[in-house]
Amino acid sequence: GESVGLHLPTLSVQEGDNSIINCAYSNSASDYFIWYKQESGKGPQFIIDIRSNMDKRQGQRVTVLLNKTVKHLSLQIAATQPGDSAVYFCAETTSNTGKLIFGQGTTLQVKP
Amino acid sequence: DGGITQSPKYLFRKEGQNVTLSCEQNLNHDAMYWYRQDPGQGLRLIYYSQIVNDFQKGDIAEGYSVSREKKESFPLTVTSAQKNPTAFYLCASSIDEGRYTNEKLFFGSGTQLSVL
């Protein structure tokens, strides 16, 4: 079956370091991917997205990399700040299903 | 400010009781969704609606019901048939662009439902 999963449940980084959060997906037909950030007790917030015709997309302090060969997605956060502490979810969808499938999430902890 | 409003923030349900969670959006989005989130888990789709007066079951619809009488509103009822209702419930909306119906979901702040 289809699944979207994250390699590590918790990632702890030092403030100012770069963070890399990974996500594996199993459906090779997936053509759109999104990263969400969820702070405690709040709804997820859109961070960045990427379509399957791209390998890399950059935002403000964030970069998403897509490797379709190994079905791997990563979110890179530059100069991690305490405000980046949250749970990060990747999600995938395919144009023929129209349903987002969410991974279980990675908790990012930023140490001062 | 445009956005999605969920209420209440916290809700308690007694045994055998039905409860309704409210979700309102003023983003003029066509599509609306309800997700359930359990501790340490991802989001699971309960119901979604792409247009007024129409909705479809998601992956875990049993024990839940919805209505979509207005574009702005998509209330979720947790019925007594849902034996394990304690969870964080998230409502979301998106622009229905046809091919990428679910892209860029905008989420509300959630409702925490607990059983007394």
Side-chain angles (χ1 to χ4, degrees), chain A residues 16-72:
Chain A
D17 287 351
N18 296 335
S19 303
I20 300 176
I21 301 172
N22 296 304
C23 181
Y25 64 96
S26 59
N27 185 0
S28 57
S30 294
D31 53 12
Y32 181 60
F33 305 86
I34 307 176
W35 280 101
Y36 283 93
K37 172 186 180 183
Q38 185 178 26
E39 297 176 356
S40 181
K42 297 183 180 179
Q45 293 176 286
F46 172 88
I47 302 173
I48 192 168
D49 59 355
I50 189 168
R51 299 200 188 278
S52 59
N53 61 352
M54 302 174 68
D55 297 323
K56 178 179 180 180
R57 191 165 187 216
Q58 287 184 294
Q60 186 177 12
R61 281 201 308 120
V62 295
T63 301
V64 56
L65 298 176
L66 176 62
N67 185 331
K68 295 181 287 293
T69 302
V70 295
K71 298 196 283 288
H72 184 268

Short mmCIF file of all heavy atoms in Angstrom, two decimals, chain A residues 16-72:
data_model
loop_
_atom_site.label_atom_id
_atom_site.label_comp_id
_atom_site.label_asym_id
_atom_site.label_seq_id
_atom_site.Cartn_x
_atom_site.Cartn_y
_atom_site.Cartn_z
N GLY A 16 21.23 27.79 15.69
CA GLY A 16 22.19 28.30 14.72
C GLY A 16 22.67 27.26 13.74
O GLY A 16 23.17 27.62 12.66
N ASP A 17 22.53 25.97 14.09
CA ASP A 17 22.92 24.91 13.16
C ASP A 17 21.84 24.74 12.09
O ASP A 17 20.72 25.25 12.23
CB ASP A 17 23.11 23.59 13.90
CG ASP A 17 24.37 23.58 14.73
OD1 ASP A 17 25.19 24.54 14.59
OD2 ASP A 17 24.55 22.63 15.52
N ASN A 18 22.20 24.01 11.05
CA ASN A 18 21.21 23.67 10.02
C ASN A 18 20.51 22.36 10.41
O ASN A 18 21.12 21.47 10.99
CB ASN A 18 21.89 23.50 8.66
CG ASN A 18 22.51 24.81 8.17
OD1 ASN A 18 22.09 25.90 8.56
ND2 ASN A 18 23.52 24.70 7.33
N SER A 19 19.24 22.25 10.08
CA SER A 19 18.45 21.05 10.35
C SER A 19 18.06 20.39 9.05
O SER A 19 17.77 21.07 8.07
CB SER A 19 17.17 21.41 11.12
OG SER A 19 17.45 22.09 12.31
N ILE A 20 18.04 19.07 9.07
CA ILE A 20 17.58 18.31 7.91
C ILE A 20 16.57 17.29 8.37
O ILE A 20 16.89 16.42 9.19
CB ILE A 20 18.73 17.61 7.17
CG1 ILE A 20 19.76 18.63 6.68
CG2 ILE A 20 18.17 16.80 5.98
CD1 ILE A 20 20.97 18.00 6.03
N ILE A 21 15.37 17.40 7.88
CA ILE A 21 14.29 16.47 8.22
C ILE A 21 13.97 15.66 6.98
O ILE A 21 13.77 16.22 5.89
CB ILE A 21 13.05 17.23 8.71
CG1 ILE A 21 13.42 18.07 9.95
CG2 ILE A 21 11.92 16.26 9.05
CD1 ILE A 21 12.31 19.01 10.39
N ASN A 22 13.95 14.35 7.13
CA ASN A 22 13.78 13.47 5.99
C ASN A 22 12.40 12.82 5.94
O ASN A 22 11.73 12.66 6.95
CB ASN A 22 14.83 12.36 6.03
CG ASN A 22 16.23 12.92 5.89
OD1 ASN A 22 16.53 13.62 4.94
ND2 ASN A 22 17.08 12.63 6.86
N CYS A 23 12.03 12.44 4.73
CA CYS A 23 10.73 11.81 4.51
C CYS A 23 10.86 10.83 3.35
O CYS A 23 11.43 11.17 2.32
CB CYS A 23 9.69 12.88 4.21
SG CYS A 23 8.03 12.27 3.94
N ALA A 24 10.34 9.62 3.54
CA ALA A 24 10.34 8.63 2.47
C ALA A 24 8.90 8.40 2.02
O ALA A 24 7.99 8.40 2.84
CB ALA A 24 10.95 7.32 2.94
N TYR A 25 8.70 8.22 0.75
CA TYR A 25 7.37 7.90 0.25
C TYR A 25 7.46 6.68 -0.64
O TYR A 25 8.53 6.39 -1.19
CB TYR A 25 6.75 9.09 -0.49
CG TYR A 25 7.46 9.53 -1.74
CD1 TYR A 25 7.06 9.07 -2.99
CD2 TYR A 25 8.54 10.40 -1.68
CE1 TYR A 25 7.71 9.48 -4.14
CE2 TYR A 25 9.19 10.81 -2.82
CZ TYR A 25 8.78 10.35 -4.05
OH TYR A 25 9.43 10.75 -5.19
N SER A 26 6.36 5.96 -0.75
CA SER A 26 6.42 4.69 -1.47
C SER A 26 5.70 4.72 -2.81
O SER A 26 5.91 3.83 -3.63
CB SER A 26 5.83 3.56 -0.61
OG SER A 26 4.49 3.86 -0.29
N ASN A 27 4.87 5.73 -3.03
CA ASN A 27 4.10 5.77 -4.27
C ASN A 27 4.86 6.56 -5.33
O ASN A 27 4.96 7.78 -5.26
CB ASN A 27 2.73 6.41 -4.02
CG ASN A 27 1.83 6.36 -5.25
OD1 ASN A 27 2.24 5.85 -6.29
ND2 ASN A 27 0.64 6.89 -5.12
N SER A 28 5.38 5.86 -6.31
CA SER A 28 6.17 6.53 -7.35
C SER A 28 5.32 7.45 -8.22
O SER A 28 5.84 8.28 -8.95
CB SER A 28 6.87 5.48 -8.22
OG SER A 28 5.91 4.60 -8.79
N ALA A 29 3.99 7.30 -8.12
CA ALA A 29 3.10 8.17 -8.91
C ALA A 29 2.83 9.51 -8.22
O ALA A 29 2.22 10.40 -8.82
CB ALA A 29 1.78 7.46 -9.18
N SER A 30 3.28 9.67 -6.99
CA SER A 30 3.07 10.94 -6.28
C SER A 30 3.74 12.07 -7.03
O SER A 30 4.90 11.94 -7.45
CB SER A 30 3.62 10.86 -4.86
OG SER A 30 2.88 9.94 -4.10
N ASP A 31 3.02 13.17 -7.21
CA ASP A 31 3.57 14.25 -8.02
C ASP A 31 3.51 15.61 -7.35
O ASP A 31 3.84 16.63 -7.96
CB ASP A 31 2.87 14.29 -9.39
CG ASP A 31 1.36 14.37 -9.26
OD1 ASP A 31 0.86 14.60 -8.14
OD2 ASP A 31 0.68 14.17 -10.28
N TYR A 32 3.10 15.63 -6.10
CA TYR A 32 3.07 16.90 -5.39
C TYR A 32 3.32 16.63 -3.92
O TYR A 32 2.70 15.73 -3.34
CB TYR A 32 1.72 17.59 -5.60
CG TYR A 32 1.58 18.93 -4.93
CD1 TYR A 32 2.43 19.99 -5.24
CD2 TYR A 32 0.60 19.15 -3.98
CE1 TYR A 32 2.31 21.22 -4.62
CE2 TYR A 32 0.46 20.38 -3.36
CZ TYR A 32 1.31 21.41 -3.68
OH TYR A 32 1.18 22.64 -3.08
N PHE A 33 4.21 17.43 -3.32
CA PHE A 33 4.63 17.20 -1.95
C PHE A 33 4.62 18.52 -1.18
O PHE A 33 4.94 19.58 -1.73
CB PHE A 33 6.06 16.61 -1.92
CG PHE A 33 6.20 15.36 -2.72
CD1 PHE A 33 6.49 15.43 -4.08
CD2 PHE A 33 6.04 14.12 -2.13
CE1 PHE A 33 6.61 14.29 -4.85
CE2 PHE A 33 6.16 12.97 -2.89
CZ PHE A 33 6.44 13.04 -4.25
N ILE A 34 4.23 18.42 0.09
CA ILE A 34 4.13 19.61 0.92
C ILE A 34 4.78 19.32 2.27
O ILE A 34 4.67 18.21 2.81
CB ILE A 34 2.66 20.02 1.18
CG1 ILE A 34 1.88 20.15 -0.14
CG2 ILE A 34 2.58 21.33 1.95
CD1 ILE A 34 0.40 20.46 0.07
N TRP A 35 5.41 20.33 2.83
CA TRP A 35 5.89 20.29 4.22
C TRP A 35 5.04 21.24 5.05
O TRP A 35 4.80 22.39 4.67
CB TRP A 35 7.35 20.71 4.31
CG TRP A 35 8.31 19.64 3.93
CD1 TRP A 35 8.97 19.50 2.74
CD2 TRP A 35 8.76 18.55 4.76
NE1 TRP A 35 9.79 18.40 2.78
CE2 TRP A 35 9.68 17.80 3.99
CE3 TRP A 35 8.48 18.14 6.07
CZ2 TRP A 35 10.31 16.65 4.50
CZ3 TRP A 35 9.10 17.00 6.56
CH2 TRP A 35 10.00 16.28 5.79
N TYR A 36 4.61 20.70 6.21
CA TYR A 36 3.86 21.50 7.17
C TYR A 36 4.60 21.55 8.50
O TYR A 36 5.28 20.60 8.88
CB TYR A 36 2.47 20.90 7.42
CG TYR A 36 1.46 21.15 6.33
CD1 TYR A 36 1.28 20.23 5.30
CD2 TYR A 36 0.70 22.30 6.31
CE1 TYR A 36 0.35 20.45 4.30
CE2 TYR A 36 -0.24 22.53 5.31
CZ TYR A 36 -0.40 21.60 4.31
OH TYR A 36 -1.32 21.82 3.31
N LYS A 37 4.40 22.64 9.23
CA LYS A 37 4.94 22.81 10.58
C LYS A 37 3.77 22.93 11.54
O LYS A 37 2.84 23.69 11.29
CB LYS A 37 5.78 24.09 10.64
CG LYS A 37 6.24 24.49 12.02
CD LYS A 37 6.93 25.85 11.99
CE LYS A 37 7.40 26.30 13.37
NZ LYS A 37 8.00 27.66 13.35
N GLN A 38 3.83 22.14 12.62
CA GLN A 38 2.76 22.20 13.60
C GLN A 38 3.33 22.48 14.98
O GLN A 38 4.06 21.65 15.53
CB GLN A 38 1.94 20.91 13.62
CG GLN A 38 0.73 20.99 14.55
CD GLN A 38 -0.11 19.72 14.53
OE1 GLN A 38 0.39 18.64 14.22
NE2 GLN A 38 -1.37 19.85 14.86
N GLU A 39 2.97 23.61 15.54
CA GLU A 39 3.36 23.95 16.90
C GLU A 39 2.34 23.35 17.85
O GLU A 39 1.20 23.07 17.48
CB GLU A 39 3.47 25.45 17.06
CG GLU A 39 4.55 26.06 16.17
CD GLU A 39 4.61 27.57 16.25
OE1 GLU A 39 3.77 28.17 16.94
OE2 GLU A 39 5.48 28.15 15.61
N SER A 40 2.74 23.17 19.08
CA SER A 40 1.91 22.48 20.06
C SER A 40 0.55 23.15 20.23
O SER A 40 0.46 24.36 20.44
CB SER A 40 2.65 22.46 21.40
OG SER A 40 1.89 21.79 22.38
N GLY A 41 -0.51 22.35 20.10
CA GLY A 41 -1.86 22.86 20.29
C GLY A 41 -2.41 23.70 19.16
O GLY A 41 -3.46 24.32 19.30
N LYS A 42 -1.70 23.71 18.04
CA LYS A 42 -2.14 24.51 16.90
C LYS A 42 -2.30 23.64 15.67
O LYS A 42 -1.87 22.49 15.63
CB LYS A 42 -1.13 25.62 16.62
CG LYS A 42 -0.98 26.62 17.74
CD LYS A 42 -0.02 27.72 17.33
CE LYS A 42 0.14 28.74 18.45
NZ LYS A 42 1.11 29.82 18.06
N GLY A 43 -2.94 24.21 14.65
CA GLY A 43 -3.06 23.51 13.39
C GLY A 43 -1.78 23.61 12.58
O GLY A 43 -0.98 24.51 12.78
N PRO A 44 -1.56 22.69 11.65
CA PRO A 44 -0.37 22.73 10.79
C PRO A 44 -0.36 23.97 9.91
O PRO A 44 -1.40 24.44 9.45
CB PRO A 44 -0.51 21.47 9.94
CG PRO A 44 -1.40 20.57 10.71
CD PRO A 44 -2.36 21.48 11.41
N GLN A 45 0.85 24.49 9.70
CA GLN A 45 1.03 25.65 8.82
C GLN A 45 1.86 25.23 7.62
O GLN A 45 2.86 24.54 7.75
CB GLN A 45 1.78 26.76 9.55
CG GLN A 45 1.03 27.42 10.68
CD GLN A 45 1.91 28.44 11.37
OE1 GLN A 45 2.83 28.08 12.10
NE2 GLN A 45 1.67 29.70 11.12
N PHE A 46 1.44 25.68 6.45
CA PHE A 46 2.17 25.41 5.22
C PHE A 46 3.56 26.04 5.27
O PHE A 46 3.70 27.20 5.67
CB PHE A 46 1.38 25.98 4.04
CG PHE A 46 2.10 25.95 2.72
CD1 PHE A 46 2.02 24.84 1.91
CD2 PHE A 46 2.85 27.03 2.31
CE1 PHE A 46 2.67 24.81 0.70
CE2 PHE A 46 3.51 27.02 1.09
CZ PHE A 46 3.41 25.90 0.29
N ILE A 47 4.58 25.26 4.90
CA ILE A 47 5.94 25.80 4.86
C ILE A 47 6.38 25.98 3.41
O ILE A 47 6.72 27.07 2.97
CB ILE A 47 6.94 24.87 5.56
CG1 ILE A 47 6.57 24.62 7.01
CG2 ILE A 47 8.35 25.46 5.48
CD1 ILE A 47 7.45 23.58 7.68
N ILE A 48 6.38 24.87 2.68
CA ILE A 48 6.89 24.90 1.31
C ILE A 48 6.37 23.68 0.57
O ILE A 48 6.05 22.67 1.19
CB ILE A 48 8.44 24.94 1.31
CG1 ILE A 48 8.99 25.28 -0.08
CG2 ILE A 48 9.03 23.63 1.83
CD1 ILE A 48 10.47 25.61 -0.08
N ASP A 49 6.26 23.78 -0.73
CA ASP A 49 5.81 22.65 -1.53
C ASP A 49 6.74 22.46 -2.72
O ASP A 49 7.57 23.32 -3.04
CB ASP A 49 4.36 22.84 -1.99
CG ASP A 49 4.16 24.11 -2.84
OD1 ASP A 49 5.12 24.90 -2.99
OD2 ASP A 49 3.04 24.31 -3.32
N ILE A 50 6.58 21.31 -3.37
CA ILE A 50 7.38 21.03 -4.55
C ILE A 50 6.62 20.05 -5.43
O ILE A 50 5.98 19.12 -4.93
CB ILE A 50 8.78 20.48 -4.18
CG1 ILE A 50 9.69 20.39 -5.42
CG2 ILE A 50 8.68 19.13 -3.47
CD1 ILE A 50 11.15 20.14 -5.08
N ARG A 51 6.69 20.25 -6.72
CA ARG A 51 6.06 19.33 -7.66
C ARG A 51 7.12 18.38 -8.21
O ARG A 51 8.32 18.67 -8.14
CB ARG A 51 5.38 20.10 -8.79
CG ARG A 51 4.29 21.03 -8.29
CD ARG A 51 3.30 21.43 -9.36
NE ARG A 51 2.37 22.46 -8.91
CZ ARG A 51 1.29 22.21 -8.18
NH1 ARG A 51 1.00 20.99 -7.83
NH2 ARG A 51 0.49 23.20 -7.82
N SER A 52 6.67 17.30 -8.77
CA SER A 52 7.61 16.23 -9.17
C SER A 52 8.47 16.61 -10.36
O SER A 52 9.43 15.91 -10.68
CB SER A 52 6.84 14.95 -9.46
OG SER A 52 5.90 15.15 -10.49
N ASN A 53 8.17 17.71 -11.01
CA ASN A 53 9.01 18.13 -12.14
C ASN A 53 10.19 18.99 -11.67
O ASN A 53 10.94 19.52 -12.48
CB ASN A 53 8.19 18.88 -13.19
CG ASN A 53 7.56 20.14 -12.64
OD1 ASN A 53 7.60 20.38 -11.44
ND2 ASN A 53 6.96 20.93 -13.51
N MET A 54 10.35 19.09 -10.35
CA MET A 54 11.45 19.86 -9.78
C MET A 54 12.24 18.97 -8.82
O MET A 54 11.70 18.00 -8.27
CB MET A 54 10.92 21.07 -9.01
CG MET A 54 10.09 22.02 -9.85
SD MET A 54 9.36 23.33 -8.87
CE MET A 54 10.81 24.26 -8.40
N ASP A 55 13.51 19.30 -8.62
CA ASP A 55 14.36 18.59 -7.66
C ASP A 55 14.60 19.38 -6.40
O ASP A 55 14.94 18.83 -5.35
CB ASP A 55 15.73 18.27 -8.28
CG ASP A 55 15.60 17.35 -9.46
OD1 ASP A 55 14.74 16.44 -9.41
OD2 ASP A 55 16.34 17.52 -10.44
N LYS A 56 14.45 20.69 -6.51
CA LYS A 56 14.80 21.56 -5.39
C LYS A 56 13.96 22.82 -5.45
O LYS A 56 13.66 23.32 -6.53
CB LYS A 56 16.29 21.92 -5.51
CG LYS A 56 16.82 22.86 -4.44
CD LYS A 56 18.30 23.11 -4.66
CE LYS A 56 18.88 24.04 -3.62
NZ LYS A 56 20.33 24.27 -3.84
N ARG A 57 13.59 23.29 -4.27
CA ARG A 57 12.88 24.55 -4.21
C ARG A 57 13.28 25.24 -2.93
O ARG A 57 13.37 24.61 -1.87
CB ARG A 57 11.37 24.32 -4.25
CG ARG A 57 10.58 25.59 -4.45
CD ARG A 57 9.16 25.33 -4.85
NE ARG A 57 8.51 26.59 -5.19
CZ ARG A 57 7.24 26.87 -4.92
NH1 ARG A 57 6.50 25.98 -4.31
NH2 ARG A 57 6.74 28.03 -5.26
N GLN A 58 13.51 26.55 -3.02
CA GLN A 58 13.97 27.29 -1.85
C GLN A 58 12.95 28.32 -1.42
O GLN A 58 12.30 28.95 -2.25
CB GLN A 58 15.31 27.97 -2.17
CG GLN A 58 16.47 27.00 -2.25
CD GLN A 58 17.80 27.71 -2.46
OE1 GLN A 58 18.00 28.30 -3.51
NE2 GLN A 58 18.67 27.64 -1.49
N GLY A 59 12.86 28.47 -0.10
CA GLY A 59 12.05 29.52 0.47
C GLY A 59 12.92 30.34 1.40
O GLY A 59 14.14 30.32 1.30
N GLN A 60 12.29 31.02 2.32
CA GLN A 60 13.06 31.80 3.27
C GLN A 60 13.61 30.87 4.35
O GLN A 60 12.86 30.32 5.14
CB GLN A 60 12.17 32.86 3.91
CG GLN A 60 12.91 33.83 4.81
CD GLN A 60 12.00 34.90 5.38
OE1 GLN A 60 10.79 34.81 5.29
NE2 GLN A 60 12.58 35.92 5.96
N ARG A 61 14.90 30.65 4.37
CA ARG A 61 15.60 29.77 5.32
C ARG A 61 15.25 28.30 5.16
O ARG A 61 15.76 27.46 5.90
CB ARG A 61 15.36 30.16 6.79
CG ARG A 61 16.15 31.30 7.30
CD ARG A 61 16.25 31.29 8.84
NE ARG A 61 14.97 31.18 9.51
CZ ARG A 61 14.65 30.19 10.33
NH1 ARG A 61 15.49 29.19 10.55
NH2 ARG A 61 13.47 30.17 10.92
N VAL A 62 14.37 27.94 4.26
CA VAL A 62 14.03 26.53 4.05
C VAL A 62 14.27 26.13 2.60
O VAL A 62 14.11 26.94 1.69
CB VAL A 62 12.57 26.23 4.44
CG1 VAL A 62 12.35 26.42 5.93
CG2 VAL A 62 11.60 27.08 3.63
N THR A 63 14.67 24.88 2.45
CA THR A 63 14.87 24.29 1.13
C THR A 63 14.27 22.90 1.15
O THR A 63 14.47 22.14 2.11
CB THR A 63 16.37 24.18 0.80
OG1 THR A 63 16.96 25.49 0.84
CG2 THR A 63 16.57 23.58 -0.59
N VAL A 64 13.53 22.55 0.12
CA VAL A 64 13.01 21.20 -0.02
C VAL A 64 13.72 20.54 -1.19
O VAL A 64 13.89 21.14 -2.24
CB VAL A 64 11.47 21.19 -0.20
CG1 VAL A 64 11.03 22.03 -1.36
CG2 VAL A 64 10.98 19.76 -0.34
N LEU A 65 14.17 19.31 -0.95
CA LEU A 65 14.84 18.52 -1.98
C LEU A 65 14.02 17.28 -2.26
O LEU A 65 13.52 16.64 -1.33
CB LEU A 65 16.24 18.12 -1.52
CG LEU A 65 17.22 19.26 -1.23
CD1 LEU A 65 18.54 18.69 -0.69
CD2 LEU A 65 17.49 20.09 -2.48
N LEU A 66 13.87 16.97 -3.52
CA LEU A 66 13.11 15.80 -3.93
C LEU A 66 13.99 14.89 -4.77
O LEU A 66 14.54 15.31 -5.79
CB LEU A 66 11.88 16.23 -4.74
CG LEU A 66 11.02 15.12 -5.33
CD1 LEU A 66 10.42 14.25 -4.23
CD2 LEU A 66 9.92 15.70 -6.22
N ASN A 67 14.11 13.65 -4.35
CA ASN A 67 14.86 12.64 -5.09
C ASN A 67 13.89 11.56 -5.50
O ASN A 67 13.54 10.67 -4.72
CB ASN A 67 15.99 12.07 -4.22
CG ASN A 67 16.87 11.11 -5.01
OD1 ASN A 67 16.41 10.45 -5.95
ND2 ASN A 67 18.13 11.02 -4.64
N LYS A 68 13.43 11.64 -6.74
CA LYS A 68 12.40 10.71 -7.21
C LYS A 68 12.97 9.31 -7.42
O LYS A 68 12.22 8.33 -7.36
CB LYS A 68 11.78 11.24 -8.50
CG LYS A 68 11.02 12.55 -8.30
CD LYS A 68 10.40 13.05 -9.58
CE LYS A 68 11.44 13.60 -10.54
NZ LYS A 68 12.05 14.85 -10.03
N THR A 69 14.26 9.21 -7.64
CA THR A 69 14.87 7.90 -7.88
C THR A 69 14.72 7.00 -6.67
O THR A 69 14.41 5.81 -6.79
CB THR A 69 16.35 8.06 -8.23
OG1 THR A 69 16.47 8.91 -9.38
CG2 THR A 69 16.99 6.72 -8.52
N VAL A 70 14.94 7.57 -5.49
CA VAL A 70 14.85 6.79 -4.25
C VAL A 70 13.60 7.16 -3.45
O VAL A 70 13.45 6.73 -2.31
CB VAL A 70 16.12 6.96 -3.39
CG1 VAL A 70 17.32 6.38 -4.12
CG2 VAL A 70 16.35 8.43 -3.05
N LYS A 71 12.72 7.96 -4.04
CA LYS A 71 11.47 8.37 -3.39
C LYS A 71 11.74 8.96 -2.01
O LYS A 71 11.24 8.48 -0.98
CB LYS A 71 10.49 7.20 -3.32
CG LYS A 71 10.08 6.69 -4.71
CD LYS A 71 8.86 5.83 -4.69
CE LYS A 71 9.14 4.43 -4.19
NZ LYS A 71 9.89 3.63 -5.17
N HIS A 72 12.52 10.01 -2.00
CA HIS A 72 12.93 10.65 -0.76
C HIS A 72 12.75 12.15 -0.86
O HIS A 72 13.05 12.77 -1.88
CB HIS A 72 14.39 10.30 -0.49
CG HIS A 72 14.90 10.83 0.81
ND1 HIS A 72 15.52 12.06 0.91
CD2 HIS A 72 14.88 10.31 2.06
CE1 HIS A 72 15.87 12.26 2.17
NE2 HIS A 72 15.50 11.23 2.88
#
